[in-house]
């Protein structure tokens, strides 16, 4: 008898839970109405192309036999491709040198602006951020003109001073030259992220440190930088992804320095040339997937090492 009553009560409770009031139903419909366009855009612009690229990467187009299913042969070929491996190594070097310099500059500028001791801080903040608003193609063309060996103003001034012609796009200098472009463009972006994080740190911590006799450097090192560590980590992850996705700068500078840059300077540029110049979309799709895997592994390793270092210090 007791069991029957409990069953009946449970049934009534579950029935009452399933009942949705008209107002709640209208809210649910409105929620689906607002979320629906994003879901459709996400599926059509991200999931479907990704699945289709994965499908293409499993085939190979041959002069004799047409398009045939080759399973993971394209991936095996890509892992042993010296041009692809060289581009990955080149971007690894790019990451190890360019990212620390860029983030250090961003952090120094953010700390200086947050200290309140910089005159015209609003103008400085805008001036540092403006290069990020410049389209990447325009920035690459502008710096390509400045780097020009024969027509660039820097080389003209150098020749006028009797210092000879400066070649910023030789085989030895092209990587630092492209690093300079990326740093110029993204210092402001990372600075804004760090500056916004600094503004959220309670001012009472600074006042307490000043009462204890701490100077600005001590406050920055012991309070501000640890407080914005998640924001710094975010900029590191974004920078890792951006480094391996380098494309605009080498692709546009290739026109004026083809011997120094080549068609496989970065993995993205190599995949682009394989797909649209060599017309081998199947192999290019495999290259793109392998590049995505490399980015995920490097980003995970960077994040994991930062978390372990943070756990060891706490």
């Amino acid at each position: 008898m007791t069991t029957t009553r409990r069953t009946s009560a449970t049934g009534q409770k579950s029935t009452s839970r399933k009942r949705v009031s008209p107002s709640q139903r209208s809210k649910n419909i409105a929620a689906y109405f607002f979320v629906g366009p994003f879901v459709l855009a996400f599926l059509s612009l991200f999931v479907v192309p990704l699945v289709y690229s994965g499908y293409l990467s499993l085939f190979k187009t041959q002069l004799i036999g047409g398009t045939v299913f080759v399973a993971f042969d394209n991936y095996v070929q890509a892992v042993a491709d010296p041009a692809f491996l060289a581009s990955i190594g080149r971007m690894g070097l790019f990451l190890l040198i360019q990212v620390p310099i860029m983030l250090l500059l961003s952090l120094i500028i953010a700390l200086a602006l947050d200290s309140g001791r910089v005159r015209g801080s609003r103008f400085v903040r805008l001036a540092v951020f403006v290069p990020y608003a410049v389209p990447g193609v325009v920035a690459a063309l502008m710096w390509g003109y400045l780097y020009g060996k024969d027509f660039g103003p820097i080389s003209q001034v150098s020749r006028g001073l009797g210092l000879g012609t400066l070649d910023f796009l030789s085989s030895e200098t092209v990587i630092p030259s492209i690093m300079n472009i990326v740093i110029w463009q993204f210092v402001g972006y990372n600075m804004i992220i760090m500056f916004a994080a600094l503004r959220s740190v309670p001012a009472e911590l600074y006042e307490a440190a000043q009462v204890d006799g701490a100077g600005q450097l001590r406050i920055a090192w012991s309070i501000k930088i640890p407080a914005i560590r998640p924001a710094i980590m975010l900029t590191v992850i974004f920078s890792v992804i951006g480094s391996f996705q380098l494309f605009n700068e080498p692709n546009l500078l290739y026109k004026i320095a083809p011997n120094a840059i080549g068609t496989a300077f970065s993995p993205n540029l190599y995949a682009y040339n394989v797909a649209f110049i060599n017309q081998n979309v199947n192999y290019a799709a495999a290259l793109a997937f392998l590049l995505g895997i490399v980015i995920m592994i490097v980003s995970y390793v960077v994040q994991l090492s930062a978390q372990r270092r943070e756990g060891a210090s706490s």
Side-chain angles (χ1 to χ4, degrees):
M1 187 65 179
T2 305
T3 304
T4 306
R5 287 178 178 174
R6 284 179 181 176
T7 305
S8 175
T10 305
Q12 291 176 355
K13 189 180 291 184
S14 61
T15 303
S16 61
R17 281 180 182 176
K18 290 180 181 178
R19 289 177 181 172
V20 179
S21 64
S23 62
Q24 184 62 40
R25 188 179 298 111
S26 63
K27 289 180 181 177
N28 292 341
I29 293 173
Y32 286 121
F33 177 77
F34 284 113
V35 173
F38 167 75
V39 173
L40 289 176
F42 180 75
L43 291 175
S44 60
L45 299 178
F46 183 76
V47 176
V48 173
L50 198 64
V51 173
Y52 184 61
S53 297
Y55 171 77
L56 287 177
S57 69
L58 303 177
F59 291 85
K60 190 172 188 177
T61 302
Q62 302 171 334
L63 290 176
I64 301 175
T67 302
V68 295
F69 179 75
V70 293
F72 295 100
D73 284 2
N74 287 326
Y75 293 92
V76 175
Q77 180 184 349
V79 169
D81 188 341
F84 180 66
L85 296 179
S87 66
I88 292 286
R90 197 175 294 113
M91 289 305 99
L93 176 66
F94 191 92
L95 168 68
L96 291 176
I97 298 176
Q98 182 266 335
V99 171
I101 295 174
M102 178 180 66
L103 295 184
L104 181 61
L105 285 175
S106 302
L107 181 61
I108 291 173
I109 297 172
L111 289 172
L113 291 174
D114 184 68
S115 68
R117 299 190 177 189
V118 177
R119 292 185 179 180
S121 59
R122 291 185 179 180
F123 173 77
V124 173
R125 193 169 58 204
L126 180 62
V128 175
F129 184 74
V130 159
Y132 178 70
V134 178
V137 174
V138 176
L141 292 174
M142 182 187 73
W143 280 101
Y145 169 70
L146 295 175
Y147 286 155
K149 183 179 178 181
D150 300 322
F151 51 82
I154 299 176
S155 290
Q156 291 181 16
V157 172
S158 177
R159 283 196 296 270
L161 296 175
L163 301 177
T165 301
L166 299 177
D167 189 1
F168 293 100
L169 298 176
S170 67
S171 300
E172 293 77 19
T173 58
V174 67
I175 292 181
S177 298
I178 293 179
M179 286 179 183
N180 177 59
I181 299 174
V182 178
I183 290 172
W184 174 81
Q185 194 170 15
F186 287 94
V187 159
Y189 170 77
N190 293 300
M191 180 273 295
I192 285 294
I193 294 177
M194 296 178 188
F195 180 73
L198 284 169
R199 303 305 292 175
S200 66
V201 178
E204 291 80 7
L205 295 177
Y206 306 152
E207 295 170 359
Q210 288 174 344
V211 169
D212 291 338
Q216 288 296 323
L217 289 177
R218 182 67 176 172
I219 292 175
W221 182 257
S222 300
I223 298 177
K224 292 185 177 181
I225 293 177
I228 64 168
R229 191 171 294 165
I232 296 175
M233 198 63 226
L234 182 69
T235 60
V236 171
I237 297 299
F238 284 170
S239 301
V240 169
I241 297 172
S243 297
F244 283 101
Q245 291 183 342
L246 188 71
F247 178 76
N248 284 335
E249 292 80 3
N251 185 43
L252 293 170
L253 295 178
Y254 175 78
K255 307 293 182 185
I256 56 177
N259 295 327
I261 294 179
T263 57
F265 185 84
S266 68
N268 264 357
L269 182 63
Y270 183 51
Y272 170 82
N273 284 306
V274 168
F276 297 105
I277 304 299
N278 300 340
Q279 298 293 315
N280 191 351
V281 294
N282 305 106
Y283 186 51
L287 291 174
F289 266 89
L290 283 179
L291 176 61
I293 293 172
V294 170
I295 292 174
M296 283 192 293
I297 292 174
V298 174
S299 301
Y300 178 73
V301 169
V302 170
Q303 190 172 6
L304 185 65
S305 61
Q307 287 177 347
R308 285 184 177 179
R309 195 178 300 116
E310 186 176 355
S313 60
S314 62

